[in-house]
C-alpha cells in the first residue's frame, strides 16, 4: 500500500508537461471485468484521446476509493452499492462512469445440493467475504421466501467463496460473481447454481463503476478516458475472439480456461455508454438501502452520480 501511495505521489508531483497523465486504481488484479480498460490501452485508444493512463492493481482492494477521495489517484474502479455507503460515510466521491452495467453478484449454491429454493436456506449457513451491503441484499432476497436474518448463520469465509461451498463449510455463498465462480466450480467438476440478486427483490445496479473526487477531478480528462473505453467496448463486442487474444496476450496469468470462459460471460455486461447513466437506477438503490436500514437518509442522485460529458 505504501508503494502505491508513493507512486501516486510521484505522479501528482509530475510537471505540467504531463498534464494528460491519469492514474486508475483497479478494484482487484487484472481480470476480464477490466476488458475495456486493457483493450483501450492495447489498441491505442487512450493515446488517441491524448491520455497516458497508468493502471494500478491495489495491494488492498478496499483502498482505491479512499485513495481517490484523498486525491492520490484520478479514478478508481469500484462498486455502485459500496459507493452509496461511502458517500454517507462522508467520502468525497461520485460515480463518473460505468464499466459493468449489470449486477454480477449472486447467491451461489450447489446445483444438485439440498438448496433448491431460497426457502431451503432456513437454518443453514451462508458464507460471505465483505460485510455491509451483502446483508441488505440477503435480507431482500430471503425475505421474499419467508427466511429472516435470524434463520441463517453468516460465516466470513474471506475470499474463499466457491471452495467453502464445495467443501461443505457453508450451504451457500453471497458475493459470488456469476462470470467467475460458476465457471471455476464447473472447471473443478462441481456444478453450481446462481440465484440472481436482481431477480429476487434487489433493485438492479451497476456492478463496476468509475469513481472520482468531484472537488479534484478533471472532467475533460475523464470524458476522454470514457470515450476511449467506449470505443474499446465497441471493439470487444464487434471482435470478441480477437479482443480476447489481445487481452490475454498482456499476461500469462490470464491465459487459462477460467479467464477464457469469464471473458465470454462478461462481454455482454460491459457498459456500451460508459458516460451515460440511469438516474432512476441510483435513486432506487439509495431508497433500497434506506428501507433496509443501511442508511438513515436519502441523498439526491446528483450527489451520487454525474455525467462528466455535460460539464
Amino acid at each position: 500500500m505504501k508503494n502505491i501511495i508513493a507512486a501516486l505521489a510521484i505522479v501528482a508531483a509530475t510537471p505540467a508537461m504531463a498534464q494528460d497523465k491519469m492514474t486508475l486504481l483497479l478494484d482487484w488484479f487484472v481480470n476480464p471485468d477490466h476488458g475495456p480498460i486493457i483493450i483501450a490501452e492495447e489498441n491505442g485508444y487512450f493515446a488517441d484521446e491524448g491520455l497516458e493512463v497508468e493502471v494500478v492493481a491495489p495491494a488492498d482492494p478496499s483502498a482505491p476509493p479512499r485513495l481517490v477521495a484523498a486525491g492520490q489517484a484520478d479514478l478508481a474502479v469500484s462498486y455502485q452499492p459500496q459507493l452509496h455507503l461511502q458517500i454517507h460515510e462522508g467520502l468525497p466521491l461520485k460515480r463518473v462512469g460505468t464499466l459493468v452495467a449489470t449486477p454480477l453478484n449472486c447467491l451461489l449454491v450447489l446445483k444438485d445440493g439440498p438448496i433448491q429454493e431460497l426457502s431451503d436456506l432456513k437454518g443453514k449457513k451462508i458464507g460471505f467475504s465483505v460485510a455491509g451491503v451483502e446483508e441488505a441484499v440477503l435480507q431482500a432476497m430471503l425475505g421474499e421466501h419467508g427466511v429472516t436474518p435470524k434463520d441463517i448463520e453468516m460465516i466470513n469465509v474471506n475470499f474463499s467463496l466457491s471452495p467453502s461451498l464445495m467443501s461443505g463449510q457453508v450451504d451457500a455463498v453471497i458475493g459470488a460473481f456469476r462470470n467467475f465462480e460458476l465457471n471455476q466450480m464447473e472447471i473443478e467438476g462441481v456444478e453450481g447454481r446462481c440465484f440472481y440478486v436482481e431477480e429476487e427483490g434487489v433493485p438492479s445496479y451497476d456492478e463496476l463503476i468509475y469513481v472520482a473526487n468531484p472537488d479534484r477531478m478533471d472532467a475533460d480528462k475523464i470524458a476522454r478516458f470514457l470515450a476511449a473505453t467506449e470505443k474499446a467496448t465497441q471493439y470487444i463486442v464487434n471482435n470478441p475472439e480477437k479482443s480476447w487474444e489481445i487481452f490475454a496476450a498482456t499476461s500469462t496469468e490470464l491465459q487459462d480456461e477460467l479467464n477464457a470462459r469469464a471473458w465470454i460471460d462478461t462481454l455482454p455486461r460491459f457498459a456500451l455508454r460508459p458516460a451515460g447513466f440511469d438516474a432512476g437506477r441510483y435513486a432506487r438503490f439509495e431508497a433500497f438501502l434506506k428501507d433496509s436500514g443501511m442508511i438513515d437518509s436519502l441523498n439526491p442522485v446528483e450527489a451520487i452520480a454525474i455525467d462528466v460529458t455535460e460539464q
Side-chain angles (χ1 to χ4, degrees):
M1 179 54 63
K2 291 181 179 178
N3 290 338
I4 291 178
I5 295 175
L8 296 179
I10 292 172
V11 171
T14 304
M17 67 179 185
Q19 62 182 353
D20 288 340
K21 286 188 175 181
M22 293 183 69
T23 302
L24 168 68
L25 302 182
L26 300 180
D27 57 310
W28 197 241
F29 53 83
V30 175
N31 63 72
D33 291 342
H34 308 127
I37 299 166
I38 303 304
I39 295 299
E41 174 63 32
E42 295 300 308
N43 283 11
Y45 301 148
F46 287 142
D48 292 344
E49 292 291 339
L51 297 173
E52 182 181 336
V53 181
E54 180 186 11
V55 179
V56 181
D60 176 359
S62 69
R66 299 184 186 280
L67 290 173
V68 168
Q72 295 179 330
D74 297 288
L75 290 173
V77 174
S78 191
Y79 310 84
Q80 182 191 336
Q82 278 72 21
L83 174 65
H84 290 262
L85 298 182
Q86 289 162 349
I87 293 173
H88 279 275
E89 292 170 5
L91 286 183
L93 293 171
K94 282 188 181 181
R95 171 267 177 214
V96 294
T98 304
L99 174 56
V100 173
T102 75
L104 294 176
N105 188 4
C106 75
L107 181 72
L108 181 62
V109 301
L110 298 176
K111 184 176 181 179
D112 297 325
I115 310 302
Q116 294 299 310
E117 303 291 342
L118 288 178
S119 57
D120 296 332
L121 282 168
K122 195 166 188 176
K124 304 297 185 182
K125 300 175 181 179
I126 300 179
F128 70 97
S129 293
V130 182
V133 175
E134 304 294 18
E135 299 171 10
V137 169
L138 266 180
Q139 182 177 321
M141 295 180 73
L142 299 182
E144 298 276 316
H145 298 269
V147 181
T148 71
K150 294 181 180 179
D151 295 326
I152 59 174
E153 180 182 356
M154 297 291 291
I155 297 178
N156 190 334
V157 297
N158 295 313
F159 290 98
S160 185
L161 290 169
S162 52
S164 66
L165 177 60
M166 291 187 288
S167 68
Q169 179 185 355
V170 295
D171 302 288
V173 292
I174 187 68
F177 271 15
R178 63 194 69 172
N179 54 339
F180 275 93
E181 269 79 11
L182 277 177
N183 285 312
Q184 182 181 26
M185 290 178 66
E186 187 172 333
I187 290 170
E188 296 186 25
V190 181
E191 286 197 73
R193 175 192 174 190
C194 265
F195 290 95
Y196 301 113
V197 297
E198 69 274 23
E199 295 179 2
E200 299 290 347
V202 178
S204 192
Y205 57 87
D206 298 333
E207 189 68 63
L208 292 179
I209 57 175
Y210 301 106
V211 297
N213 182 328
D215 300 322
R216 297 173 179 262
M217 71 181 188
D218 184 324
D220 174 67
K221 285 202 298 185
I222 293 173
R224 285 185 279 146
F225 171 90
L226 296 173
T229 57
E230 178 173 334
K231 188 173 182 180
T233 301
Q234 292 168 348
Y235 181 86
I236 291 170
V237 172
N238 291 336
N239 306 276
E241 294 182 5
K242 179 61 177 176
S243 59
W244 161 247
E245 293 173 3
I246 295 171
F247 177 81
T250 62
S251 171
T252 55
E253 295 179 355
L254 296 172
Q255 298 166 16
D256 60 19
E257 184 180 359
L258 176 57
N259 281 290
R261 288 189 181 201
W263 180 265
I264 294 171
D265 288 348
T266 310
L267 186 152
R269 299 182 181 278
F270 291 133
L272 297 176
R273 296 171 55 248
F277 76 101
D278 177 350
R281 167 175 285 203
Y282 283 76
R284 286 189 294 272
F285 205 86
E286 182 81 354
F288 165 72
L289 290 175
K290 185 175 186 297
D291 290 343
S292 67
M294 297 296 296
I295 56 178
D296 296 326
S297 60
L298 292 175
N299 281 326
V301 171
E302 55 266 28
I304 306 168
I306 56 173
D307 179 353
V308 292
T309 63
E310 293 181 347
Q311 303 300 303

